[in-house]
Amino acid sequence: MRIKKKDIFFETLENMADTIVQAADYFAEQIASLQDIPQFTKTMKDYENKCDSYTHTIITELNKTFITPLERDDIMDLTTTMDDVMDGMEACASRFDMYHMSTPDKHIIRFAAILRECAFEIHKAIHLLSQKKLLAIREHTIRLNDLENQGDDLMRDSIRELFATIKDPIELIKRKEIYERLESTTDACEDVANMLESIIMSNS
């Protein structure tokens, strides 16, 4: 019996989701105890390049495919929002090298844990999308919204503590930017959830 070949769009989106979860897992592990910052930033850049290649594949296939499994705009928007998640993590990692920061604080470690959870939820949702189990995706979009709210709360707590405890203005600026980039990456995860909700509404 011949096995039906998986649709190129779903396959590529799954590959992106797999890469995001691998990157988030690695990011969280490294942030917990940074040992080799140049290697950390290089590995995160490799993950980001991998996601970029999947984005390029989607664009190429959209340009040559007449019938797509979802609306063309939905495929492109979902791809873009997922790529934004990867870009956000890579941008955060690069700041540790640029700013010569080797001691992540408890807030940065917690942000990394939230992003790891977000990545797993995205991963589950994208694989359900490939299986056309649209309504089952909602559990994961709700969880992503909750995690983004946790990111907002953490942002407020981290900034409050930062200004209360850090006296060195340069250190304050560096940490504040990293907090903001991490929080904006949780926002990007919520953007993925919102895009998935839009797809559910359009196709249910």
Side-chain angles (χ1 to χ4, degrees):
M1 182 178 171
R2 195 175 170 191
I3 298 173
K4 185 179 178 183
K5 186 181 177 185
K6 185 171 285 188
D7 178 90
I8 184 64
F9 296 105
F10 287 142
E11 183 178 17
T12 307
L13 287 168
E14 283 187 358
N15 288 338
M16 280 191 83
D18 293 348
T19 302
I20 287 169
V21 87
Q22 290 162 15
D25 206 34
Y26 176 79
F27 185 83
E29 284 179 5
Q30 294 299 308
I31 286 296
S33 60
L34 273 179
Q35 300 295 325
D36 187 343
I37 293 175
Q39 182 59 51
F40 171 52
T41 55
K42 180 188 178 302
T43 301
M44 290 303 296
K45 185 64 180 175
D46 289 343
Y47 282 127
E48 194 250 346
N49 287 338
K50 202 171 178 182
C51 265
D52 284 345
S53 72
Y54 292 134
T55 300
H56 180 71
T57 298
I58 293 281
I59 294 169
T60 301
E61 292 299 324
L62 283 173
N63 285 331
K64 70 181 186 182
T65 305
F66 184 67
I67 298 174
T68 55
L70 301 168
E71 291 292 332
R72 306 172 80 80
D73 287 348
D74 287 347
I75 294 172
M76 194 65 243
D77 290 345
L78 181 58
T79 302
T80 302
T81 54
M82 288 171 65
D83 192 51
D84 287 344
V85 173
M86 186 65 248
D87 288 346
M89 286 192 289
E90 189 278 326
C92 291
S94 71
R95 291 314 184 271
F96 285 94
D97 189 32
M98 289 165 57
Y99 297 159
H100 302 285
M101 283 183 64
S102 58
T103 53
D105 58 36
K106 64 181 181 181
H107 302 299
I108 294 171
I109 292 169
R110 177 60 188 141
F111 265 120
I114 289 172
L115 286 172
R116 176 191 251 165
E117 290 184 64
C118 286
F120 278 111
E121 297 301 328
I122 290 170
H123 182 265
K124 292 170 190 171
I126 295 300
H127 281 263
L128 286 170
L129 181 65
S130 294
Q131 299 166 39
K132 309 276 183 72
K133 296 179 179 178
L134 297 181
L135 295 180
I137 293 171
R138 191 151 279 147
E139 172 189 342
H140 305 292
T141 61
I142 290 169
R143 179 65 180 144
L144 283 164
N145 287 322
D146 177 58
L147 288 165
E148 192 275 334
N149 288 335
Q150 290 182 36
D152 286 344
D153 292 341
L154 180 57
M155 178 69 177
R156 283 189 287 271
D157 291 344
S158 60
I159 294 294
R160 186 186 304 113
E161 186 171 320
L162 181 68
F163 279 89
T165 58
I166 301 296
K167 304 305 178 188
D168 180 353
I170 301 300
E171 184 69 15
L172 188 148
I173 290 167
K174 291 191 292 188
R175 290 190 182 270
K176 183 173 180 288
E177 191 199 340
I178 289 176
Y179 295 157
E180 288 170 345
R181 284 188 175 273
L182 287 164
E183 193 275 333
S184 68
T185 307
T186 66
D187 287 344
C189 294
E190 186 179 44
D191 290 340
V192 175
N194 292 339
M195 194 59 237
L196 287 165
E197 283 287 350
S198 177
I199 291 171
I200 292 167
M201 289 175 63
S202 299
N203 294 275
S204 294

